[in-house]
């Protein structure tokens, strides 16, 4: 048994959720925030048999895309202004960060 923890950008969340459901994966969705841009993410928890992990990873890869986005930097508040960039910059966002963890016990009540 494995636990897949996938952190995906909110824009990919509904598409991934539909793909997991269509392929008979049960998933718990958690709203999350974090990372460099402090933007909204969705964290999926998927418990599955070890033999189905490659299929789940394929679905995540197919439904979570990286994209470029223009970001206006936040001005430093009392910080070091030497490293402050006063104009928007293009950064890559999206995709998925995935962890696959071993599960010793699984109970469904």
């Amino acid at each position: 048994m494995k636990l897949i923890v996938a952190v995906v950008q909110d824009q990919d969340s509904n598409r991934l959720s539909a793909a997991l459901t269509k392929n008979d994966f049960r998933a718990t969705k958690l709203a999350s925030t974090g990372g460099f841009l402090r933007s909204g993410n969705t964290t999926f928890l998927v418990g599955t048999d070890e033999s189905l992990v490659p299929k789940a990873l394929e679905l995540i890869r197919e439904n979570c895309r990286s994209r470029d986005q223009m970001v206006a930097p936040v001005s430093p508040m009392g910080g070091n202004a030497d490293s402050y960039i006063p104009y928007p910059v293009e950064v890559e966002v999206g995709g998925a960060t995935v962890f696959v963890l071993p599960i010793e016990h699984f109970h469904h009540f």
Side-chain angles (χ1 to χ4, degrees):
M1 193 71 170
K2 297 289 184 179
L3 174 64
I4 300 171
V5 179
V7 181
V8 305
Q9 194 173 31
D10 279 344
Q11 291 148 307
D12 297 325
S13 173
N14 289 336
R15 187 173 45 250
L16 178 58
S17 182
L20 290 170
T21 302
K22 181 180 176 183
N23 286 274
D24 298 322
F25 286 99
R26 292 183 180 188
T28 299
K29 288 173 50 173
L30 305 172
S32 53
T33 304
F36 172 66
L37 301 175
R38 295 181 185 86
S39 60
N41 297 318
T42 301
T43 300
F44 286 84
L45 303 176
V46 182
T48 189
D49 187 77
E50 188 169 356
S51 66
L52 296 174
V53 169
K55 178 62 178 173
L57 294 176
E58 177 185 335
L59 292 171
I60 295 167
R61 188 177 299 110
E62 289 173 354
N63 289 282
C64 300
R65 299 181 181 92
S66 295
R67 57 188 68 80
D68 292 330
Q69 177 177 323
M70 294 300 288
V71 176
V74 178
S75 63
M77 299 281 292
N80 184 356
D82 293 339
S83 62
Y84 175 66
I85 303 170
Y87 50 86
V89 294
E90 188 172 49
V91 297
E92 185 177 321
V93 298
T97 301
V98 182
F99 304 90
V100 180
L101 308 167
I103 301 299
E104 290 186 30
H105 299 278
F106 171 75
H107 304 279
H108 184 80
F109 301 108

